[in-house]
Amino acid sequence: MKDVTPLTDGWTLRHDEAPLPAQVPGCVHTDLYAAGVIPDPCLGLNETELAWVGRRSWTYVTDLAHDSGHERTDLVFDGLDTAAAITLDGRKLGSTRNMHRGYRFDVTGANGVLEVGFASAYDEAESVRALTGNRPNVYPEPSQYIRKMACNFGWDWGPTLVTAGIWRPVRLEHWSTARIASARPLVTVEDGTGRVEVRVLVERTEGGRERGLVAAATVDGVRTEVAFEGDEAVLRLDVEDPGLWWPRGYGEQPLYRLDVELRDGSRVLDTWERRIGFRTVELDRSADEHGSGFTLVVNGVRIFARGVNWIPDDTFPSRITPERYRTRLQQAADANIDLVRVWGGGIYEDDAFYGACDELGLMVWQDFLFACSAYPEEQPLRGEVEAEARDNVVRLMPHPSLVLWNGNNENLWGFRDWEWEPELAGNSWGEGYYLGVLPRIVAELDPTRPYAAGSPWSGSWDHHPNDPAHGTYHSWEVWNRQDYAEYRANVPRFVAEFGWQAPPAMATLWRALPGEDLAPDSPGMLHHQKAEDGNGKLDRGVARHFELPENDFDRWHYLTQVVQARAVAAGIEHWRSHWPVCAGTVVWQLNDCWPVSSWAAIDGDGRLKPLYHELRRVYADRLLTLQPGDGEGGPVLAVINQSAAEWRTAVTLRRLEADGTTVHRGVHEVTVGPRSVLRLPVPAELIPAEQSAKEFLVADADGLRALHFPVADKDFAYPRPEYDVTVEAVEGKSATVDVVVSAHTLLRDLLLQADRLDPHAAADQGLRTLLPGEQARFRVTGCGSVDAKRARAALFCADAR
């Protein structure tokens, strides 16, 4: 049987020839920080002072001593970042130039000093650029010339901290006769029968080359085996009436253990085990009267995807533990998210990420790792791209949560719209990957899943790559230049990116910018704002709706949070109300990799922004929304039911004055079928007068609420807010209180910023609008002693005077 020896201990990092303790898996930055050589790269302005780290070479060293009775010993790296030369006892084993692949070297009988020397990623990228020629890029960094996490070189939300190191596990594998090189399960369902076809590829030693072997597979008590010679065996199993894997909200997520065994007679040589799930997935891109669609269909059910984009959860991915993956993805599921898009400027995540998605029912849209750049298709990159794609398709395909392979992020769009074509002058730029190499690999290795060439992509060059009527669409003009109301200007078939910025939570800023007198333009705030004219866009977004605060950072911070939440909600509510024409929204973005002003719903310290709670509301199965009418018509009430059950409810519509007086009231009995939307015009007597500063409309049903104000907040005649605050201890729960707010006037977008009470505190809800006489109860966990005065100081509302 194969023996495995992890190689995690005893490594050192050479720093100016002096050895420092090194953690493996890890990276240079984390080792230097742990040794006290550099400050925390994510605090203050430290990032700029540490650029030198990414521009020099580094070497990891350990003593390798092993003694095995097996025929063969392999040194296996699951991930090396990035351009490395590996030597053992002075003999070169090989070199690498791809962060996204694993590597294996024969070290049978060899011992001595093991060195992994990393060249500067900049030097490697420049050497490739010298071979292939220059290509355009949206950032002034050479990320497209090296197969490395592109956002290492900085992004409009991320720092430029160019890493090096042994970032994934390393081990010795001792084996004889043969080993399982890969197992590739194709899992399908047909007429109630689950089909598993496992293609097993083996590697043999010289002594095992002529031996007959047996491969066996077992799933759910069904077993099959086959005797074979050569290097490949195919095993087929049928599982009768398996439980189907469903996205969250559509059913359960049963997972079945698939075991593969390789034998030489009765002797077990190697084993392989994964969890699989039975389900079908299709992508309906058929043409209709609206254009051409982009609808995911799982087990025959058409799905409106409630999605988020995912970036690496840490600037240094080796720090992301399985527990952290689980926490972040549980937060996604708790916000009624059912799809996570792994964005193409990051990494193929660890198996723990996809395993958690399998368990939580989170569909995974997996980008191949190309983003916002023109990529050379010549060697040495072309061979690396193909090898990387093959490695990761085979590694990830057992996961039932994986529903879509996607070729790239924004590169097809960039070629058409970002003035790349003249600069390229006929050179390769990646099209051959997205329309040739990658779909060929997916069709060969994983034909059970759909492939899309890119995001955005209209399906062919017959249409503009970012045509909202065809395929996937990225909506960025709104954030860049317009008010968020302009999300309602069109109904794309699938919105794969859109979003609005806000700063992180206050406690995150206090930690990340220690001692700074916080202001929107203070040095640390500007440094932790990476978007082009990011603060200008934040200010303009606020100023369209509110008086822009001067010299009041607390209010500016609150209002940017409000506008972020409102903006994203405006888009989702509009697009969901047009299901099935629009079949999904994927918010940019769920998470952050460091403390920064960004589009994230969860900030770099893991704190929930108001946007997170708003996602939970607008992504719920049932949603009320008041939408502007078509043409000259008044508001439309959209009653959205994404559940599997019919929704019968009474919707109460009230036309109210600013002081809470009811002008008119109406009750509408409605029935909405499963997975459907009902749109009803609001009766004329309930519509506030156009441009009224004193009236607004409220819709309530089953604890859900929708609001319509005819004018911007700054033009509305809000009364001076009046409310009482009490704090109640929660029996049986330590460090937990209820902050109860009782409204005497209209309170628009009331928010409790719990982290102001304690850095560890969190509230169970975000923005709430209360009418006079209503009450909100915020449950706060992780707090110390809190009284009503302190709680009041942490409360904000939009109508403050």
Side-chain angles (χ1 to χ4, degrees):
M1 180 69 175
K2 180 176 72 177
D3 294 330
V4 177
T5 305
L7 297 178
T8 55
D9 299 327
W11 289 90
T12 58
L13 173 66
R14 284 185 185 157
H15 172 64
D16 294 333
E17 300 308 317
L20 298 175
Q23 182 173 332
V24 172
C27 76
V28 169
H29 288 81
T30 54
D31 289 333
L32 293 175
Y33 176 54
V37 175
I38 64 172
D40 187 332
C42 296
L43 297 188
L45 308 182
N46 293 343
E47 172 203 352
T48 55
E49 300 171 9
L50 300 177
W52 62 271
V53 177
R55 293 189 175 275
R56 57 161 290 175
S57 60
W58 299 93
T59 301
Y60 282 80
V61 182
T62 192
D63 289 321
L64 186 66
H66 64 96
D67 183 16
S68 170
H70 282 284
E71 297 176 66
R72 173 86 170 262
T73 298
D74 289 344
L75 173 64
V76 183
F77 295 94
D78 286 341
L80 292 169
D81 176 18
T82 294
I86 300 94
T87 62
L88 177 58
D89 196 28
R91 177 175 66 91
K92 185 174 181 180
L93 299 178
S95 59
T96 73
R97 61 194 327 154
N98 194 325
M99 179 182 185
H100 309 301
R101 294 178 56 192
Y103 296 93
R104 179 179 293 267
F105 303 101
D106 184 352
V107 293
T108 305
N111 289 289
V113 176
L114 174 62
E115 297 189 358
V116 184
F118 292 94
S120 162
Y122 284 102
D123 291 345
E124 167 69 11
E126 291 305 329
S127 69
V128 172
R129 188 191 334 230
L131 293 172
T132 64
N134 204 46
R135 301 292 193 283
N137 183 343
V138 296
Y139 298 108
E141 295 280 337
S143 61
Q144 71 265 53
Y145 306 103
I146 183 171
R147 297 308 300 158
K148 175 177 175 58
M149 183 171 82
C151 61
N152 246 188
F153 292 92
W155 222 261
D156 55 7
W157 39 258
T160 303
L161 292 167
V162 179
T163 56
I166 305 171
W167 78 289
R168 279 185 165 157
V170 56
R171 61 191 176 276
L172 291 174
E173 292 188 0
H174 314 280
W175 54 283
S176 298
T177 306
R179 69 174 187 90
I180 298 173
S182 68
R184 185 162 53 88
L186 301 172
V187 182
T188 57
V189 181
E190 186 176 343
D191 298 328
T193 299
R195 300 271 165 80
V196 185
E197 178 183 287
V198 190
R199 294 188 170 268
V200 180
L201 187 66
V202 302
E203 182 183 10
R204 295 171 179 262
T205 64
E206 191 61 36
R209 190 151 307 281
E210 303 300 325
R211 298 187 67 86
L213 300 176
V214 175
T218 306
V219 61
D220 195 36
V222 179
R223 180 178 174 87
T224 189
E225 63 179 49
V226 61
F228 69 102
E229 298 177 354
D231 296 331
E232 187 174 22
V234 181
L235 300 143
R236 295 181 176 88
L237 305 95
D238 284 354
V239 177
E240 295 301 326
D241 196 26
L244 296 182
W245 186 95
W246 289 94
R248 62 155 304 281
Y250 288 81
E252 300 300 317
Q253 293 81 41
L255 299 172
Y256 295 82
R257 177 168 160 160
L258 170 63
D259 288 287
V260 176
E261 184 181 83
L262 180 65
R263 298 199 317 269
D264 176 12
S266 60
R267 181 169 60 117
V268 177
L269 302 174
D270 200 359
T271 60
W272 179 97
E273 174 267 321
R274 296 291 188 278
R275 294 184 303 175
I276 61 171
F278 293 96
R279 54 98 182 99
T280 63
V281 58
E282 304 166 77
L283 182 60
D284 184 356
R285 290 182 267 203
S286 57
D288 56 26
E289 67 271 27
H290 305 286
S292 50
F294 194 92
T295 304
L296 285 165
V297 184
V298 179
N299 299 327
V301 175
R302 302 173 69 81
I303 289 176
F304 181 97
R306 295 170 276 188
V308 288
N309 282 274
W310 172 277
I311 65 170
D313 203 52
D314 198 302
T315 299
F316 309 119
S318 59
R319 297 196 298 200
I320 309 172
T321 63
E323 293 75 21
R324 181 162 158 186
Y325 275 127
R326 180 73 188 208
T327 295
R328 200 70 70 242
L329 292 167
Q330 184 67 62
Q331 289 170 324
D334 291 344
N336 298 311
I337 289 159
D338 60 22
L339 181 143
V340 179
R341 176 191 171 204
V342 181
W343 168 76
I347 59 175
Y348 303 99
E349 298 290 343
D350 188 81
D351 284 318
F353 171 93
Y354 303 94
C357 290
D358 293 340
E359 296 171 1
L360 295 169
L362 295 171
M363 296 179 288
V364 175
W365 160 333
Q366 177 67 56
D367 279 13
F368 288 100
L369 300 186
F370 303 89
C372 302
S373 304
Y375 286 80
E377 297 176 39
E378 293 78 27
Q379 298 293 6
L381 288 179
R382 188 178 185 87
E384 289 294 339
V385 165
E386 175 144 1
E388 167 193 317
R390 289 181 173 277
D391 277 10
N392 286 284
V393 169
V394 171
R395 177 171 73 91
L396 301 182
M397 61 185 291
H399 294 281
S401 56
L402 180 59
V403 298
L404 179 68
W405 295 104
N406 179 60
N408 75 89
N409 177 75
E410 298 190 343
N411 295 341
L412 296 161
W413 181 22
F415 179 77
R416 177 58 52 87
D417 271 6
W418 300 348
E419 300 180 354
W420 287 3
E421 195 166 1
E423 184 177 346
L424 288 165
N427 289 329
S428 67
W429 54 274
E431 182 185 29
Y433 296 146
Y434 320 134
L435 300 180
V437 172
L438 297 175
R440 171 174 56 79
I441 290 172
V442 171
E444 173 194 344
L445 299 178
D446 188 17
T448 66
R449 288 181 178 86
Y451 169 86
S455 184
W457 179 235
S458 59
S460 78
W461 288 114
D462 293 339
H463 307 287
H464 188 279
N466 200 31
D467 186 336
H470 300 276
T472 49
Y473 178 68
H474 289 195
S475 178
W476 284 117
E477 280 299 295
V478 175
W479 155 253
N480 284 322
R481 295 175 180 84
Q482 300 169 339
D483 181 50
Y484 60 73
E486 294 304 311
Y487 283 132
R488 305 186 185 108
N490 59 22
V491 182
R493 305 313 302 270
F494 192 105
V495 187
E497 278 190 22
F498 76 106
W500 204 274
Q501 267 203 357
M506 285 299 299
T508 300
L509 290 174
W510 292 331
R511 186 193 70 82
L513 305 175
E516 180 159 313
D517 185 9
L518 293 175
D521 59 352
S522 60
M525 286 295 296
L526 290 178
H527 184 75
H528 289 249
Q529 166 60 277
K530 297 296 187 178
E532 182 180 0
D533 190 30
N535 273 13
K537 293 169 185 177
L538 284 174
D539 285 350
R540 289 189 290 275
V542 169
R544 294 182 185 109
H545 298 269
F546 301 93
E547 296 294 336
L548 188 64
E550 294 185 12
N551 302 317
D552 187 346
F553 181 77
D554 287 344
R555 180 139 182 91
W556 179 86
H557 179 270
Y558 160 75
L559 290 177
T560 57
Q561 303 278 339
V562 169
V563 172
Q564 179 188 39
R566 284 194 194 177
V568 172
I572 293 174
E573 290 184 18
H574 166 67
W575 293 319
R576 279 192 73 182
S577 76
H578 287 279
W579 162 260
V581 177
C582 181
T585 55
V586 188
V587 177
W588 188 271
Q589 65 216 63
L590 175 69
N591 59 327
D592 264 329
C593 65
W594 76 315
V596 65
S597 292
S598 83
W599 298 264
I602 304 172
D603 77 15
D605 280 8
R607 295 187 174 92
L608 309 180
K609 295 185 187 179
L611 171 59
Y612 172 86
H613 298 285
E614 198 69 353
L615 286 178
R616 187 172 61 189
R617 181 184 72 83
V618 296
Y619 272 163
D621 281 352
R622 293 175 173 177
L623 176 67
L624 290 183
T625 178
L626 290 162
Q627 294 292 312
D630 300 324
E632 299 299 320
V636 170
L637 171 68
V639 188
I640 300 167
N641 179 25
Q642 202 164 344
S643 73
E646 183 180 80
W647 186 16
R648 292 173 180 255
T649 190
V651 181
T652 300
L653 289 166
R654 287 178 287 171
R655 178 180 165 194
L656 300 176
E657 292 186 343
D659 63 3
T661 302
T662 299
V663 178
H664 200 89
R665 180 178 183 273
V667 178
H668 297 264
E669 301 288 339
V670 299
T671 300
V672 190
R675 323 284 191 206
S676 61
V677 176
L678 179 66
R679 293 172 63 91
L680 298 170
V682 174
E685 64 273 15
L686 287 164
I687 300 174
E690 186 176 356
Q691 296 301 306
S692 170
K694 297 182 179 180
E695 292 185 346
F696 63 105
L697 177 63
V698 179
D700 291 294
D702 294 347
L704 306 179
R705 172 166 285 175
L707 299 165
H708 168 71
F709 285 76
V711 296
D713 294 73
K714 62 185 178 182
D715 299 322
F716 192 75
Y718 285 117
R720 182 176 296 277
E722 296 181 8
Y723 55 92
D724 296 327
V725 180
T726 59
V727 178
E728 302 175 3
V730 178
E731 187 176 351
K733 294 183 179 292
S734 62
T736 301
V737 299
D738 283 346
V739 176
V740 182
V741 180
S742 301
H744 302 299
T745 62
L746 171 65
L747 300 179
R748 181 87 188 273
D749 284 333
L750 179 71
L751 176 67
L752 174 65
Q753 292 190 358
D755 60 293
R756 289 176 176 270
L757 304 175
D758 188 292
H760 303 291
D764 65 341
Q765 55 192 304
L767 302 171
R768 291 284 304 275
T769 292
L770 302 182
L771 305 180
E774 293 184 337
Q775 190 177 85
R777 182 176 292 267
F778 297 88
R779 177 148 297 183
V780 181
T781 57
C783 61
S785 177
V786 176
D787 58 25
K789 183 177 180 181
R790 286 189 63 215
R792 182 179 284 271
L795 285 163
F796 297 80
C797 62
D799 45 344
R801 292 290 186 269

